[in-house]
Each structure stands twice: as structure tokens, then as C-alpha cells.
Amino acid sequence: MNWLTNFVRPKIRALVRKQDDRETLWEKCPSCGQMIFHRDLDAAMRVCPHCDHHMRLNARQRLEQLLDDGTIERIAVPDVPADPLKFRDVKKYTDRLKDARAKTSEDEAMVVASGTMNGLGIITCVQNFAFMGGSMGLAAGEAMLAGAERAVADSKPLIIFAAAGGARMQEGILSLMQMPRTTIAVEMVQEAGLPYIVVLTDPTTGGVTASYAMIGDIHIAEPGALIGFAGQRVIQDTIREKLPDGFQRAEYLLEHGMIDMVVHRHELRDTLSRIVDMMMNRDESRIIKSLAALPPAVDAPSEEKTDADDASDAAPVETDS
Amino acid sequence: MNSFLEFEKPLADIEGKLKELKHLAEDGDVDVSSEIAKLETRSDLLLRETYEDLGAWQKTQVARHADRPHYLDYVEGLIEDFTTLAGDRGFGEDKAILGGLGRFRGRSVMVIGQEKGSNTTDRIKHNFGMAQPEGYRKAVRLMKLAEKNNIPVITFVDTAGAHPGIEAEERGQAEAIARSIDTGLSLKVPFISIVIGEGGSGGAIALAAGNTVLMLEHAIYSVITPEGCASILWRSGDKARDAAEAMKLTAQDLLELGVIDKIIKEPLGGAHRGAAETITATGDALAEALDNLVEKDGETLRLERRQKFLDMGRAGIA
């Protein structure tokens, strides 16, 4: 024990740690490769100020962007059997779940919440791609059903944010059965005459697209989002040709009549509010314009443009076909 | 039987010997009848032993066997006056999913199913049972037509999955499947689905949201092919056998999980060793299932079907 261990070493440690923290304060845009200061990125709703790339959001970020401050109420989802097939690939399914829970601080890949959006009461289900690729298993089925039941009970619209590679293979056939089960959830909302709106975010593929994500009253996609049924690798392996530019991107789906609109994240909340307000067909608008202004334009950070070539948002997305 | 599966090799050997002996017997010089009888007993025993205890991967191979009866064989064997109805009224006529009106043991029915084809020409014509969006849209049209006329819907499921391709994506494969599930779930007429071979992924469930789901003894039904699962989770297509075992895709597993309602027994050695017998057994199971549904009113049928799917995974799983 001397002044070296008591005083100098902690100081050095603190200095080093600060350096590390500073690293994470800057995030690299996966599309253009530019470094963005975290506050600027948050202010821009995690849309790259340089190239407009819409970065993926986790469930918490999505709820915070969508719902009015202080109105977010998480809706409990019934427990489901853990690991019904006792599934094991190179890793045990239960371990994969543990890892995902530790990584995301969420219980499962779909979060259900109620709250207000510009003053309008809504129920929302948000898929979290960071949690095992957002994959749809028993828990997602129960989450959709919980959201639908609450929407019907409260006579509120249901808005879902889809983001998933597809079905959760570790639950085998039971994950496939979530396609009819989530479809039933949608039917319940639609039978009650309530709006069911789907926001397709990057990426939405496989069994999720082929069930609740494609039977909305209205389909909205975020710019550039990958949306499709079969995975690109599967298609490429089948046809052995190069896929066309922009294939399975939001704009491509708009062109092919599969979605109603592509909406920039900065406009999303107001667009959703306007649609919900009109679909609820009340005598007059109930929108309370939020005070939150659109984020200001952000100046480029001092760093020079980094090598953009190796940056790609084409994270491998696995889907069933 | 000409084509033996890999795990049937010992059987193939015995049957080869039998053939030789029978040739000898025909020549007439030596009396080999006792040898033949012995070998036949052994062959029967071996067949029984092999098929009593098929693993998931072996069942996958049996379910895909080229000589297994396919959808159109069932139509021919079970449906009278079958009248094909073509087209989705929007884009085209898909030949992987075929459907039409017919009579099943006296009753009018709407029959829809996936046809894999039995020889190379047919397989190409039917795209190996992998439908384009138009196939599912035609299915939706026929289901609605059946409902309007209060006719039960019967679907035969046999596909590795919906077709993955550029055009399929362009024309909304996902939406077509989703709409088909939705339509099946909403029907106010009896809806029975039979998994006769391979029930692969979304392409299968699109036609399988029935009040009663029957499945042949050696058929498989899964969220993805074992090969696909292996390539994603094990990062190697060679692990398909492991994936098949892990996925619980056999009829016996699915009955236990509450995903299907009844198993239709196949003749000894699988449906490919007795197509006529298999088709009759399927007809009997279908008639029984239909008898249980036809008296119910439309709304009851729809709500019971819905409840059945809602219950899945909520009870009976440890």
C-alpha cells in the first residue's frame, strides 16, 4: 500500500476508462460509415444525419419515440412454457434465451404497451430485433394476443412494429403455430372495428411477414427496411442469379403494391396519429400536437469520413421459406 | 419395390436374394421353397422392425419418397366428379396448388391441395409442390366459394414450402400466405386438413388451419426443412439429421404437442408400399372427421377452430 496503488493507479484507470466511454459515445453509421455523436443520434431518432439511414431501434427506444412522455404503461404478457421441445443446436435454447435477456434487459422479443400518441390512446406491440432476431415463438404469440385483447377491451387501435427474421426455430412447430395464433389476434381487433396498423421496420421477413405483418388495415414501412418472405440467400441459392437492386426494400414493396406508404421516422408519429385519428371516425380530431420539435440538422463531426466500403447494414437475416 | 431408401439397405439385400431364389425356383431343378419362405419371414420381420422405430430423419425421407401417393392420387381415389377450378382471377394459374369441387362419399366438398408430381416432367409442371402467391390466392378464392355455398373444405398438405423467388416476392408471397391463413381461420364451414407427406413451413400452414388436422403416420410437419434449420442454427446443411431429431417434426411428436388431432396409420413399410390401402385409410379418417363437424353451425365451427389454435402451447406442455 503506497501512494502508487492508492492514488496513481485509480487515476490512470479512470483516465483509461474515460477513453473507453468516449469511444461508445460515437456510433458508426452502418450505411455511410460516418461517426455520429450519441446525443445527435438520439435527437435524430437514430436516423443518420448524413445519409438518412434508419438504424434499428430496440423496444424501449421505439416506445419512447412513439408514445407521449410519461404515458408508457407496459402490459404484462402471460408466461409461456420455456423450451417446450428441449431444443439444442450448437447451443441450448435456454442458454440462448438467457443471453438474449442479459443483452437486451427484456424478457422476450415482443413488448406490449399502452400509452398515448399525440394524446390519442393506443395499444402497441413492438418487436425487438436485438432479442434473438425478434423471432416469433410462443411468447410473441401471447404478446400479440395480450395486445389485441387489451385493444378490444379499451376500444383502442393496435399498432404493431414488426422486426424479425421470422419464426423461432428452437420452438419448432409451435413457432409455426404462432402464424395462425397471431392472425387470430389481428382478427379480434378487426372484428371489433378497431384500426390495426402495421409498421414494417428493418428487417421483417419469414413467418412474421406471412402472418400478422401483412394483414394490417394499413401498412407503413420505414425507409430502406428489408421486408420479404424468403431470405435473400435462399432465393439466390434457388435461382442462381443476382438479385435486383433494392430487392425486398420498403420502396420496392411500395412500388409492387404491398404497402401503403414509406414514412420517414421523423414523420412517423404524426402520420400514425393522423391515420388513427381519422380511422377512429370521431366527430372531431383529438390530436394534441406534441411539443417535441423535429430534431435540428446536425453538423458533421470533426472526424473525416471513415471507410464506408466495409460498412454495410446487410446483417445476415435468416428466414424460413 | 424398386427404390429403397438408404436406411432400408438390409431390406433391399434380402429382397434381392429372394428374387434370385424365385428365379431358381422357376427353373425348377432345386426345391428352394423352404428357403424362400424363411427369407420372406425374415424380410417381413425386418420391415416391421425398421418401420416400428423410424427416427425423425428416416421419416423425413419416407415422407418425401417419390413413390408415396401424392395429392392427385388421393383425389382420384377418394373424390368423385372432381372438377378442377383454376386461377386466382388476378394474375395466373398456379399448378403447385390445385383445387376443385367434388363429391366425397356422397357429400359435396371443396378440395385443395399441393401436388409434388410423381415423375420429372410432372414435378417440373407442379414446381415440386412449391406454390407461387397465385396458388394461395386461388386457395383463398376456393375457400370463400365453398363457404358461400356451405360446402366443407378439405386440404391436402404436401410441400417443402412456398416458392422462394423474385417474382414470388414481387407479387407478395407473404401477403398471399397470410391471407390464406386468415381465410381458413374465418371459414364458417367444416375445414379439415390432412398432412400427407411434407408439411413445410408457412407454405403448409397456409392450407392447414383446419378444425381437424389429420396426419399420416410417417408424414412430417415443421417450421422449416431440417436442411434449412441445420444451415441456419448449425451453420451446416450436413446436420440435417440432428436438426430433424431436434425439431420434433413427426406425427407422433405433433400429436403429443397438440398440434394435430389424429394420426392415420400407414401400411407396413410406409405409404409407398401400399398406396391404395393408405388412400382408403385416409378416406375413412376424413369421413369420421367430417361426420363430427357437419352438424355444427358456421359460427360454432369458426369459434371452435379459433379456440383450438389459441389453446396450442398453453396447456399440455411441460
Side-chain angles (χ1 to χ4, degrees), chain A residues 81 85 87 89 142 169 172-173 175-177 181 187 191 210-211 228-230 248 252 256 258 318 320-321, chain B residues 169-170 173-175 178 182 185-186 201 221 223 232 234-235 246 248 254 302 306 309-310 312-314:
Chain A
L85 305 188
F87 194 94
D89 47 81
E142 290 299 340
M169 274 171 288
I173 193 81
S175 68
L176 189 70
M177 291 304 122
R181 293 181 92 234
E187 287 175 354
E191 279 160 26
S211 57
F229 176 62
Q248 289 184 326
Y252 176 93
H256 287 92
M258 300 318 300
E318 309 294 358
D320 46 331
S321 62
Chain B
E169 295 291 318
E170 249 172 31
Q173 185 69 287
E175 194 267 352
D182 188 19
L185 286 169
S186 337
S201 191
Y221 188 10
V223 66
I232 293 171
W234 277 264
R235 301 262 157 212
K248 303 261 194 296
L254 300 191
R302 187 180 75 99
R306 171 178 286 192
F309 281 95
L310 287 180
M312 267 177 211
R314 277 184 178 165

Side-chain angles (χ1 to χ4, degrees), chain A:
Chain A
M1 289 283 180
N2 54 31
W3 69 275
L4 258 176
T5 47
N6 290 338
F7 182 70
V8 176
R9 197 180 284 166
K11 275 235 157 177
I12 292 172
R13 279 216 184 111
L15 211 67
V16 172
R17 198 173 304 129
K18 225 176 232 165
Q19 210 76 37
D20 287 341
D21 283 350
R22 203 168 292 146
E23 285 290 310
T24 62
L25 291 178
W26 291 86
E27 236 174 281
K28 188 174 174 181
C29 171
S31 180
C32 70
Q34 289 269 33
M35 298 300 288
I36 312 157
F37 188 55
H38 76 115
R39 272 201 207 111
D40 297 340
L41 191 56
D42 285 344
M45 306 176 94
R46 299 190 62 80
V47 175
C48 175
H50 309 288
C51 72
D52 231 20
H53 175 72
H54 286 51
M55 294 189 190
R56 289 169 185 169
L57 299 182
N58 63 36
R60 187 184 46 76
Q61 291 164 334
R62 181 64 76 181
L63 289 176
E64 282 170 2
Q65 288 191 8
L66 180 76
L67 297 172
D68 300 330
D69 286 349
T71 71
I72 301 171
E73 178 219 331
R74 294 243 186 167
I75 295 171
V77 176
D79 283 340
V80 297
D83 194 11
L85 305 188
K86 309 272 173 285
F87 194 94
R88 174 182 200 131
D89 47 81
V90 287
K91 220 171 170 184
K92 280 204 302 211
Y93 175 37
T94 46
D95 289 341
R96 284 187 192 265
L97 277 173
K98 254 182 240 158
D99 293 350
R101 284 179 183 139
K103 182 177 137 199
T104 60
S105 311
E106 300 282 359
D107 279 344
E108 254 296 344
M110 193 187 274
V111 168
V112 192
S114 92
T116 64
M117 178 181 70
N118 287 329
L120 305 167
I122 62 154
I123 307 296
T124 183
C125 297
V126 179
Q127 257 174 321
N128 197 347
F129 189 75
F131 193 108
M132 291 188 73
S135 56
M136 171 175 65
L138 283 161
E142 290 299 340
M144 273 295 288
L145 286 162
E149 277 162 13
R150 184 64 176 270
V152 173
D154 294 1
S155 281
K156 284 178 182 166
L158 180 64
I159 301 177
I160 67 136
F161 289 82
R168 187 169 295 171
M169 274 171 288
Q170 292 89 347
E171 291 185 12
I173 193 81
L174 292 170
S175 68
L176 189 70
M177 291 304 122
Q178 303 317 308
M179 293 173 68
R181 293 181 92 234
T182 53
T183 301
I184 291 168
V186 175
E187 287 175 354
M188 288 174 1
V189 176
Q190 289 173 333
E191 279 160 26
L194 296 164
Y196 170 63
I197 299 171
V198 181
V199 182
L200 300 135
T201 73
D202 186 60
T204 304
T205 56
V208 169
T209 327
S211 57
Y212 59 88
M214 269 292 151
I215 49 172
D217 300 329
I218 290 179
H219 296 167
I220 299 173
E222 286 200 327
L226 177 77
I227 304 158
F229 176 62
Q232 299 211 342
R233 205 181 56 190
V234 175
I235 298 174
Q236 202 135 25
D237 286 353
T238 310
I239 60 164
R240 301 188 185 285
E241 287 170 46
K242 205 175 165 290
L243 298 173
D245 281 347
F247 180 61
Q248 289 184 326
R249 295 286 164 187
E251 297 73 15
Y252 176 93
L253 269 88
L254 181 67
E255 202 177 300
H256 287 92
M258 300 318 300
I259 57 176
D260 292 281
M261 58 191 98
V262 177
V263 177
H264 194 285
R265 195 174 283 164
H266 296 169
E267 316 288 339
L268 186 57
R269 184 184 145 94
D270 285 347
T271 305
L272 281 169
S273 304
R274 203 168 60 242
I275 289 169
V276 161
D277 193 37
M278 287 189 281
M279 278 182 84
M280 291 301 274
N281 195 16
R282 296 178 181 118
D283 289 341
E284 57 189 89
S285 171
R286 298 193 185 176
I287 290 183
I288 303 164
K289 276 281 175 198
S290 75
L291 300 173
L294 284 185
V298 180
D299 292 331
S302 51
E303 265 100 334
E304 274 304 295
K305 193 173 182 296
T306 45
D307 185 10
D309 287 344
D310 67 346
S312 148
D313 65 338
V317 175
E318 309 294 358
T319 63
D320 46 331
S321 62

Side-chain angles (χ1 to χ4, degrees), chain B:
Chain B
M1 235 356 96
N2 296 328
S3 50
F4 284 93
L5 296 167
E6 190 195 322
F7 68 87
E8 295 177 326
K9 185 145 189 316
L11 267 170
D13 292 346
I14 293 186
E15 295 210 3
K17 271 186 208 154
L18 257 173
K19 220 177 180 180
E20 270 175 42
L21 279 177
K22 280 178 180 165
H23 261 293
L24 266 178
E26 273 166 28
D27 294 344
D29 293 343
V30 214
D31 182 19
V32 287
S33 58
S34 68
E35 281 295 308
I36 288 179
K38 240 192 253 169
L39 268 184
E40 274 176 345
T41 321
R42 240 180 83 197
S43 164
D44 273 6
L45 192 72
L46 190 60
L47 189 64
R48 194 175 300 276
E49 278 173 356
T50 310
Y51 270 81
E52 252 168 21
D53 197 24
L54 287 184
W57 179 241
Q58 293 169 331
K59 278 190 189 266
T60 304
Q61 292 167 284
V62 175
R64 294 171 177 168
H65 200 294
D67 299 335
R68 206 176 159 81
H70 291 131
Y71 166 54
L72 291 177
D73 300 317
Y74 288 89
V75 169
E76 201 187 298
L78 296 175
I79 309 295
E80 289 166 55
D81 294 337
F82 183 67
T83 307
T84 305
L85 301 174
D88 72 338
R89 300 295 188 270
F91 182 84
E93 159 68 350
D94 183 77
K95 290 202 166 57
I97 291 179
L98 302 172
L101 283 163
R103 287 188 177 278
F104 170 67
R105 301 192 181 172
R107 279 191 190 110
S108 281
V109 288
M110 182 65 81
V111 190
I112 305 166
Q114 284 140 340
E115 173 60 39
K116 279 187 169 180
S118 305
N119 56 51
T120 308
T121 322
D122 277 356
R123 277 194 275 274
I124 291 168
K125 176 177 156 195
H126 297 295
N127 196 29
F128 304 86
M130 297 165 81
Q132 302 282 353
E134 298 74 61
Y136 296 104
R137 293 192 174 120
K138 175 170 64 182
V140 167
R141 181 173 80 83
L142 299 188
M143 284 193 264
K144 286 186 172 162
L145 177 60
E147 181 176 46
K148 181 182 79 80
N149 293 288
N150 201 23
I151 294 171
V153 174
I154 300 164
T155 56
F156 290 83
V157 176
D158 193 12
T159 183
H163 180 76
I166 295 177
E167 297 81 8
E169 295 291 318
E170 249 172 31
R171 300 199 294 271
Q173 185 69 287
E175 194 267 352
I177 291 170
R179 210 50 83 182
S180 185
I181 298 173
D182 188 19
T183 305
L185 286 169
S186 337
L187 289 178
K188 293 186 175 176
V189 289
F191 176 14
I192 297 167
S193 309
I194 314 168
V195 183
I196 54 172
E198 198 175 4
S201 191
I205 185 66
L207 297 186
N211 291 86
T212 310
V213 180
L214 309 171
M215 188 163 167
L216 287 183
E217 188 185 355
H218 303 308
I220 60 165
Y221 188 10
S222 61
V223 66
I224 185 172
T225 59
E227 291 87 346
C229 180
S231 102
I232 293 171
L233 293 182
W234 277 264
R235 301 262 157 212
S236 153
D238 303 339
K239 297 283 185 187
R241 181 187 297 261
D242 296 340
E245 300 291 342
M247 285 164 78
K248 303 261 194 296
L249 44 66
T250 71
Q252 294 69 27
D253 286 330
L254 300 191
L255 187 67
E256 210 167 289
L257 289 169
V259 170
I260 62 161
D261 299 292
K262 196 185 160 153
I263 297 175
I264 302 169
K265 212 160 159 39
E266 294 185 25
L268 181 61
H272 55 288
R273 286 192 169 81
E277 217 178 304
T278 307
I279 290 168
T280 307
T282 304
D284 293 345
L286 180 57
E288 191 196 333
L290 210 48
D291 283 343
N292 289 333
L293 297 176
V294 281
E295 296 298 322
K296 296 180 178 177
D297 71 277
E299 188 59 10
T300 306
L301 286 166
R302 187 180 75 99
L303 290 176
E304 281 185 3
R305 189 185 307 123
R306 171 178 286 192
Q307 197 56 46
K308 166 199 156 101
F309 281 95
L310 287 180
D311 287 344
M312 267 177 211
R314 277 184 178 165
I317 295 169

